[in-house]
Amino acid sequence: MPAATTLPSPVARALRHWCAIAWLALFCAGCAGLPKDVDRPVSTALDAAAQPTALARLVQERRQAAGSRYASGFMLLSGPQEAYGSRLALVQAAQKTLDLQYYAIHADESSARLLRGVAAAARRGVRVRILLDDFHSTGRNALVMGMAFVPNVEMRMFNPVAGPRASALGRLWGSLSDFQRVQQRMHNKLFIADNMMGVTGGRNLGDAYFGRSQAENFVDLDVLAAGPIVADMSRSFDSYWNNPRAYPVQSLITREELERLRTQVQPEGNGTPVADAPPAHERPAHAWDSQPMDLRTAEFTWAPAVMLADKPAKIPLDGDETQEFGDTVVDGLLDLMAGTQRELLVISPYFVPGGDMLRAFAAARARGVRVRVLTNSLASNDAPIAHVGYARHREALLAMGVELYELRSEQAGLRSALGSSGGAAGASRAMLHSKVMVVDGRLLVVGSMNLDLRSQLQNTEIALLIRSRKLAAEAAGQIDAAMRQGAWRLERQEDGRLVWHPPEDSGLQDAHTDPDSSLGLRLLLKLLGPLAPDHLL
């Protein structure tokens, strides 16, 4: 959410919200439960070996041309153009299957064009499966569920939230009435074509993730993967798709209910259905051309890799008191940290380290490992309350020798490991959203996870671990530049106070409070901080 500029406004909003919740608690007899005995036909990924496609032939040709002994290739998607263009290219190239798994798909222009392409692929015979976490499917964003009624498209909602989709407050009450289950979300991101090429990383689908928002844009990073590693991504998708926590859209809402919702959130004459949005040439121009990537010229690095993926059972079934954790994605990252010998680079937009992480950082520093972390500043954080959990650990991290950098949101045209935020100069606020780790200059991790307790204990996550000095160096070099030129560097003075040193050549002065943030917001978070435990941030 945007940073508040004065104290009364957020306080007044909070009071209004809590009064509304109290009213709902008094007058709502209860919320409708989730449907029972839901039919979930089992389906699995395409057998790429038995049914070769043009993408499979392309991957084989590219690998042979590279002369690599490794079967899987990877390309960092370091900006909105590549991130969006790669997805468009996969949609257009798919001949057999498209599988999409996301935490959020926003009903806006960039998603509309992608979903129009997905619908067109379905019409030409491509089997489409869309798996979406249910938390954000309210109001206009619920219209994305209309894809479930497109022929040859199946769509399921993971871990649904009870309550009316037209009312954010109603859904909020539904969340509070089943708080333990609803706070645990499917945070995975996958975009897979023909079980042969796929994209994973930090981005959801929406304008703010592709540099098209006029107000706020996320700075993010994805990886385009090709070859056998994609089969591992597909196996993870299948495990979620066929899980009892995944509900077919038709079991949650009818076509008629969606149409009624459309009239409420999108009055007649004011817009078009998400899958039928106007072509790009009929919309305003943006910072990039919205064209598909040419996969024939994509620069893949061929390397060994493994996929880390949480199990769906990390989120308990409705009424199930047991919960399966095992080795999670974040646990795997902690193991990597334990084996680091020289240098550890971390980007985590929401950085709320629990006890395990703090001990891992301390142990790394004790071995002489240089540890640098880039996270959001208070001003660049889209969820300021999450900043509270990070802020309470800053001094301890600095004391053990961890180097902390916080993104400066006001810098137009910010460049980092993810490329530009994509917004027009001076027109939007940059917010860090990528999740990256570089270990000893030879291992690169890109995924959906944050280094926080929510990713470790509650949300499900996914990540690619790639052993490539070339890709690691590419990412590390860009992260270095981002830390120097686009971030505040924190330091603990002899008197114990914190000081923020500005980016190089910015012309700014040192700051002694969270820079670029209002006094009102800082005071509000100071009041709310003690009420916000780390595991809920």
Side-chain angles (χ1 to χ4, degrees):
M1 63 184 73
T5 54
T6 60
L7 182 58
S9 176
V11 171
R13 284 199 299 270
L15 288 174
R16 284 197 297 271
H17 279 298
W18 285 110
C19 287
I21 292 168
W23 185 90
L24 285 168
L26 289 172
F27 290 98
C28 290
C31 295
L34 298 178
K36 306 294 183 182
D37 302 320
V38 174
D39 184 27
R40 300 177 179 85
V42 174
S43 62
T44 56
L46 172 76
D47 185 342
Q51 302 183 62
T53 63
L55 278 177
R57 291 190 291 272
L58 176 61
V59 171
Q60 182 65 17
E61 291 169 2
R62 297 300 306 279
R63 180 195 173 197
Q64 289 177 347
S68 175
R69 62 190 178 97
Y70 300 114
S72 295
F74 305 91
M75 176 183 178
L76 294 186
L77 304 173
S78 56
Q81 175 70 71
E82 291 182 347
Y84 198 74
S86 62
R87 288 168 171 85
L88 278 178
L90 293 181
V91 168
Q92 294 183 7
Q95 293 179 319
K96 298 289 187 179
T97 61
L98 277 171
D99 291 330
L100 281 62
Q101 180 179 11
Y102 279 95
Y103 171 64
I105 302 178
H106 297 281
D108 52 29
E109 290 182 2
S110 58
S111 292
R113 180 172 182 199
L114 276 173
L115 294 180
R116 263 196 359 268
V118 170
R123 287 193 293 271
R124 67 175 187 262
V126 176
R127 184 199 67 182
V128 175
R129 298 184 294 175
I130 302 174
L131 181 59
L132 178 62
D133 184 87
D134 191 59
F135 192 72
H136 290 286
S137 58
T138 185
R140 178 171 170 77
N141 287 337
L143 300 183
V144 173
M145 298 169 73
M147 287 295 295
F149 300 95
V150 174
N152 214 28
V153 175
E154 296 177 79
M155 185 173 185
R156 297 182 182 180
M157 310 301 290
F158 201 86
N159 199 23
V161 180
R165 294 181 184 276
S167 167
L169 284 177
R171 291 267 286 182
L172 180 58
W173 172 249
S175 300
L176 291 174
S177 65
D178 196 5
F179 185 75
Q180 179 64 27
R181 178 182 66 84
V182 170
Q183 69 172 321
Q184 298 173 308
R185 307 313 315 172
M186 181 191 76
H187 201 232
N188 313 35
K189 286 96 173 174
L190 289 172
F191 201 116
I192 304 171
D194 289 345
N195 198 15
M196 188 50 59
M197 281 194 188
V199 175
T200 190
R203 278 184 179 86
N204 295 297
L205 301 185
D207 286 349
Y209 296 93
F210 295 111
R212 299 185 72 141
S213 172
Q214 296 301 313
E216 301 173 324
N217 282 294
F218 289 106
V219 184
D220 223 320
L221 179 68
D222 292 319
V223 173
L224 173 62
I229 191 67
V230 179
D232 294 336
M233 296 160 65
S234 291
R235 275 189 285 272
S236 176
F237 178 94
D238 286 347
S239 71
Y240 283 81
W241 179 259
N242 296 310
N243 191 275
R245 298 158 184 80
Y247 287 70
V249 163
Q250 289 85 346
S251 71
L252 301 172
I253 194 168
T254 66
R255 185 195 294 264
E256 292 72 26
E257 288 170 332
L258 267 179
E259 287 303 318
R260 287 196 294 271
L261 176 60
R262 188 188 306 281
T263 62
Q264 296 176 43
V265 301
Q266 185 173 272
E268 186 176 354
N270 183 26
T272 53
V274 170
D276 300 313
H281 68 269
E282 297 178 12
R283 293 186 234 126
H286 288 275
W288 44 274
D289 61 19
S290 308
Q291 296 303 306
M293 174 186 291
D294 186 348
L295 297 175
R296 296 168 302 177
T297 59
E299 296 183 4
F300 287 104
T301 296
W302 303 87
V306 296
M307 195 197 70
L308 308 177
D310 287 335
K311 298 177 182 177
K314 190 176 179 182
I315 295 177
L317 286 169
D318 190 21
D320 186 1
E321 297 300 324
T322 63
Q323 191 170 0
E324 181 180 340
F325 284 102
D327 293 330
T328 70
V329 169
V330 174
D331 290 335
L333 299 188
L334 292 174
D335 289 341
L336 281 179
M337 292 168 63
T340 306
Q341 297 300 314
R342 295 183 292 102
E343 183 177 30
L344 180 66
L345 271 173
V346 176
I347 301 182
S348 182
Y350 312 109
F351 181 46
V352 187
D356 290 344
M357 297 177 208
L358 290 172
R359 285 188 288 273
F361 283 124
R365 289 295 303 133
R367 296 193 305 273
V369 175
R370 185 184 186 189
V371 179
R372 289 181 289 167
V373 178
L374 174 63
T375 189
N376 272 308
S377 63
L378 176 56
S380 69
N381 203 319
D382 67 309
I385 190 64
H387 191 80
V388 171
Y390 157 65
R392 64 169 59 111
H393 297 297
R394 282 188 299 211
E395 293 186 15
L397 288 163
L398 290 170
M400 68 177 67
V402 174
E403 301 172 46
L404 297 179
Y405 294 80
E406 297 180 4
L407 180 72
R408 183 181 175 231
S409 69
E410 297 296 326
Q411 182 167 341
L414 175 70
R415 297 279 174 178
S416 70
L418 340 342
S420 168
S421 64
S428 64
R429 179 171 69 116
M431 304 173 295
L432 190 65
H433 197 258
S434 74
K435 303 90 165 61
V436 183
M437 182 180 290
V438 182
V439 179
D440 286 338
R442 62 186 184 88
L443 296 174
L444 173 65
V445 183
V446 179
S448 66
M449 69 292 151
N450 295 291
L451 284 188
D452 64 2
L453 289 176
R454 177 167 290 279
S455 284
Q456 185 177 11
L457 302 177
Q458 295 165 340
N459 292 349
T460 65
E461 309 288 356
I462 194 168
L464 278 177
L465 168 58
I466 308 167
R467 195 183 73 200
S468 167
R469 291 190 179 275
K470 178 182 177 182
L471 290 178
E474 180 183 339
Q478 294 176 345
I479 295 170
D480 284 340
M483 288 176 168
R484 292 194 312 272
Q485 302 167 13
W488 297 91
R489 179 175 62 85
L490 270 72
E491 189 175 62
R492 191 167 179 264
Q493 299 180 126
E494 291 184 1
D495 60 7
R497 293 189 304 165
L498 296 182
V499 59
W500 283 256
H501 299 297
E504 288 182 1
D505 303 321
S506 65
L508 299 172
Q509 301 297 314
D510 287 352
H512 296 277
T513 58
D514 288 278
D516 302 319
S517 63
S518 69
L519 174 62
L521 179 61
R522 295 197 300 271
L523 289 176
L524 179 63
L525 294 182
K526 194 173 185 65
L527 291 172
L528 295 178
L531 305 177
D534 283 355
H535 70 279
L536 293 181
L537 299 177

